[in-house]
Structure formats: C-alpha cells, structure tokens
Amino acid sequence: MAVPDRMDEQLRALGLVEAQRTAQDLFAEVVARALVAPGHSEREAADRIGMLAGERFGSAARHRGCLVRSGRHTTLPYGEEPPDLVIGLDDVVVIDLGPLLAASETDFARTVVLGDDPVRKRLCEDLPEVFAAGREAFHAEADITGSQLHSEVKARAAKAGWALGGWHAGRLVGAPSAANAPGTPADAYVGPGNDRPLRRTVQGGWRAHWILEIHLIDEHHGFGGSYKQLLDLV
C-alpha cells in the first residue's frame, strides 16, 4: 500500500475542514428556520433537518442520519438510541449533524436552549469554552496523549460546575463514533485508556486527525449538552 504523500495529506485535511464548514452552515440554517421547536418530537426534528440537508446536498446527504436529543436524553452517552421524546418549552436540545454528511469522515454537534432557563443557558455557553480549553491544551503540548487531554477536559468541565458525560472526549476521524463500538482500540479515543500521543500516523501512513467531543452534564437537574468538531484542524 502506497504511503500518502504531502498532497494527499493536504487534500484530506482540506476535505475535513470543508465538511465542517458545510455542517456549520447547515446548523445556522436549522436555527434560522426554527426546525427544532417545542411540541415536535426528536424524530420529527431530525426528519426536518434531513429534508433540509437533502435540499442542500442531494444524494450526498444521509436523510435519516441526523441525531436530535432533548431533555433527559441529552445525558446519554454517544451511541445509545433512546425512544422518541417530545421537545419541551424550556428545554435543551443537542443537534448532531455529523452522520448527515455521507461523503465525509468528520463530525459536528451543537446545543441549543429553548426558553429562558439560566442554568441551561450557562451550560450552552460553557460548551465552547471547555472545547477551547481542550484545544489550547492540545496545542500547548506536542506529545500530549489521549488520556492527558481527557484529564484536562474533565478538569475544565468540573471547574465550570459540570460533569463530563461518557468515558471519552473524542475520537479519531474515521473511527466509529459509538463509545462501545466493538473492536475499536482505546487509542482511537481521547480517553483514559489512550497513552499514545495524539500526534502520530495511523493505519495506511495517514496523519491522525481528531474530533474533540465535549459532553457536559448537569447531574442535579438531569440534562446535558454537546459540542463536537475537529480538534487539530481549523
């Protein structure tokens, strides 16, 4: 198998960044059109978003790939599929657009707050702050490992008053996103079992790229939020 050259690496990185920009634009349109609204179920919202993605991207979109979670479902680890839930008036909703982009390996999730609850709003505001702290820690240490970055993110979440959901805080681009995917090694995650540097080459000689997944939970009130995007590429 040929080792990818510099141009191959650059094209792959550009493709990942462009897919993320597409997801950002799609999320902005989802919010502008109020496709996630009280009184509709999570699946209804996901179907609306899927239809919009189909309009925008045609066959490049997986119409049923979007994940929408609200209320108590926002505390669940990645990979679980709970029963449908109706979105409430004062609610927090996670919108995961990554699965919609069939041609891309990347992932993207954001959280929106419906209503005026100050605790939910604070969680939503803290999500990008914890992500930024994780990215800063990644750039500050050339040989940082998955377990070290996980510890940094967990500490930053605790300092802000939240618990970190799930056992990991990110994954290799192209690796299964479900936390319990069978056969996936620990070094494919930003988690406590990964003592390998995140900056390395992987199978096929490709440079490793990572998704940082910030999943914050309010254990007292029983809700959470998610913020996912590329860690090492802007």
Side-chain angles (χ1 to χ4, degrees):
M1 181 182 296
V3 177
D5 60 21
R6 183 175 180 181
M7 182 61 70
D8 292 332
E9 288 279 10
Q10 289 177 339
L11 288 174
R12 179 171 182 251
L14 286 171
L16 292 170
V17 172
E18 181 59 29
Q20 180 168 282
R21 288 174 181 163
T22 299
Q24 289 172 327
D25 290 343
L26 181 60
F27 174 74
E29 193 164 350
V30 167
V31 173
R33 294 193 185 192
L35 297 185
V36 175
H40 296 282
S41 75
E42 296 167 332
R43 289 175 187 169
E44 287 174 332
D47 286 343
R48 287 180 171 188
I49 296 170
M51 290 178 65
L52 173 61
E55 294 172 8
R56 293 279 303 273
F57 313 124
S59 60
R62 289 178 180 156
H63 294 246
R64 300 185 63 83
C66 178
L67 174 67
V68 175
R69 288 183 174 177
S70 63
R72 62 182 181 275
H73 288 172
T74 58
T75 66
L76 297 176
Y78 305 124
E80 291 192 17
E81 296 185 9
D84 204 8
L85 190 66
V86 174
I87 299 168
L89 288 172
D90 288 299
D91 214 338
V92 59
V93 183
V94 171
I95 304 170
D96 191 332
L97 299 176
L100 277 171
L101 303 175
S104 169
E105 298 175 324
T106 195
D107 206 350
F108 182 90
R110 291 292 188 269
T111 301
V112 297
V113 173
L114 306 174
D116 298 318
D117 179 67
V119 180
R120 287 172 172 80
K121 285 188 172 183
R122 185 171 70 84
L123 179 137
C124 195
E125 292 168 356
D126 282 346
L127 283 164
E129 295 294 329
V130 175
F131 180 93
R135 175 175 276 176
E136 183 179 351
F138 172 80
H139 286 298
E141 178 56 60
D143 295 323
I144 192 169
T145 67
S147 60
Q148 288 172 334
L149 182 55
H150 181 267
S151 295
E152 290 283 349
V153 170
K154 186 175 182 180
R156 182 62 179 83
K159 184 177 180 180
W162 314 108
L164 193 63
W167 65 268
H168 72 90
R171 61 178 178 83
L172 269 173
V173 167
S177 59
N180 297 315
T184 305
D187 64 10
Y189 294 104
V190 179
N194 182 7
D195 292 325
R196 298 186 65 189
L198 295 178
R199 292 177 178 87
R200 65 176 193 267
T201 57
V202 292
Q203 186 175 5
W206 293 97
R207 183 178 303 161
H209 295 300
W210 297 87
I211 299 292
L212 185 60
E213 306 180 2
I214 305 301
H215 185 197
L216 303 182
I217 293 177
D218 184 320
E219 295 179 307
H220 178 68
H221 294 97
F223 64 81
S226 183
Y227 190 102
K228 298 195 289 185
Q229 69 179 47
L230 291 163
L231 167 65
D232 57 304
L233 297 170
V234 177

